Amino acid sequence: MSQLTRDEKQKQKDFDEEIIPHMDALYNFALRLTTDPNDAEDLVQDTIVKAYRFFSSYEKGTNAKAWMFRILKNSFINNYRKTSKKPSQVDYDEVSPYYESIRAERTETSDLESLMFREMMDDDLSNALTRLPEDFRTVVLLCDVEGYTYEEIANMLDVPIGTIRSRLHRGRNLLKTELLEYAKKRGFTGD
């Protein structure tokens, strides 16, 4: 087993101080982008590896969270491009037990707790966010959920601030349209 050099130890210490405090925010953002906990964990892991690998290009004391979100967002886009070019694949051995189990089950659950949680607004909001096109969803999440300023988002996504404003406006309008039926059903609007 090799010993770490003093520079390697310092890099590890600096990385831990600057980056590790943002792990929860990274995971939450990854989960909102991927909508799958396992994919979110993979995306965060990929982001951490890249951040450590290129940590020498990070300027200590600057906005580490924004730097990490940018790496995560770029990794997500690159992964999406790779997988969208692959044809769909299904492993029959993996699907077979599931298919057999649901084929036999034709009953609805009467569990009160699951019915109650199914009706919660968070699920509707989360589903509405998931249906937004990725460019709009990313900006809405960064601004309205994570609380970043337009300037910070523009730097993270490497696009002009006018584009951020436009995407945010369009994303919010799309989200409003998605949630209008929800609001009407629950009496939140007079329509």
Side-chain angles (χ1 to χ4, degrees):
M1 184 176 237
S2 64
Q3 294 285 344
L4 294 176
T5 66
R6 188 180 347 186
D7 288 343
E8 290 169 333
K9 287 179 183 177
Q10 186 61 46
K11 177 184 176 182
Q12 204 167 24
K13 181 180 181 281
D14 292 344
F15 186 84
D16 289 348
E17 289 173 0
E18 293 278 332
I19 304 303
I20 300 304
H22 306 293
M23 294 298 292
D24 287 342
L26 277 174
Y27 176 76
N28 289 335
F29 185 51
L31 185 59
R32 288 187 179 101
L33 287 175
T34 63
T35 68
D36 179 79
N38 292 328
D39 290 343
E41 288 176 9
D42 291 345
L43 184 57
V44 169
Q45 184 177 9
D46 185 42
T47 301
I48 295 297
V49 168
K50 287 177 182 173
Y52 191 77
R53 184 172 167 209
F54 297 105
F55 192 63
S56 60
S57 68
Y58 170 73
E59 187 177 324
K60 188 174 180 182
T62 59
N63 192 341
K65 188 174 178 183
W67 186 68
M68 294 296 294
F69 271 53
R70 188 176 195 173
I71 294 170
L72 188 137
K73 188 253 335 162
N74 289 338
S75 294
F76 173 74
I77 291 170
N78 291 337
N79 292 342
Y80 176 78
R81 287 180 182 151
K82 283 181 203 171
T83 57
S84 67
K85 292 178 182 176
K86 288 183 186 176
S88 296
Q89 298 176 356
V90 175
D91 181 4
Y92 178 75
D93 292 335
E94 196 173 302
V95 175
S96 178
Y98 175 72
Y99 173 73
E100 294 300 325
S101 70
I102 63 168
R103 190 173 67 159
E105 289 180 17
R106 302 292 300 205
T107 59
E108 279 292 314
T109 181
S110 60
D111 182 63
L112 182 59
E113 185 178 42
S114 69
L115 290 172
M116 181 180 78
F117 285 119
R118 201 178 304 150
E119 296 297 317
M120 289 184 74
M121 183 176 159
D122 288 345
D123 290 339
D124 290 312
L125 180 59
S126 180
N127 291 335
L129 278 168
T130 301
R131 287 189 296 270
L132 289 179
E134 189 233 322
D135 284 342
F136 302 129
R137 181 175 68 230
T138 301
V139 175
V140 168
L141 287 170
L142 288 173
C143 183
D144 296 337
V145 177
E146 295 296 332
Y148 284 104
T149 65
Y150 295 170
E151 293 82 14
E152 290 171 324
I153 298 168
N155 287 332
M156 276 187 254
L157 302 180
D158 199 24
V159 295
I161 197 164
T163 303
I164 297 303
R165 287 187 176 114
S166 173
R167 288 180 185 174
L168 187 58
H169 177 76
R170 289 182 64 199
R172 285 174 175 164
N173 282 339
L174 288 169
L175 193 58
K176 178 181 167 185
T177 302
E178 286 280 337
L179 293 174
L180 188 59
E181 194 59 36
Y182 169 83
K184 285 180 184 176
K185 283 181 187 174
R186 285 159 182 83
F188 295 132
T189 64
D191 300 333

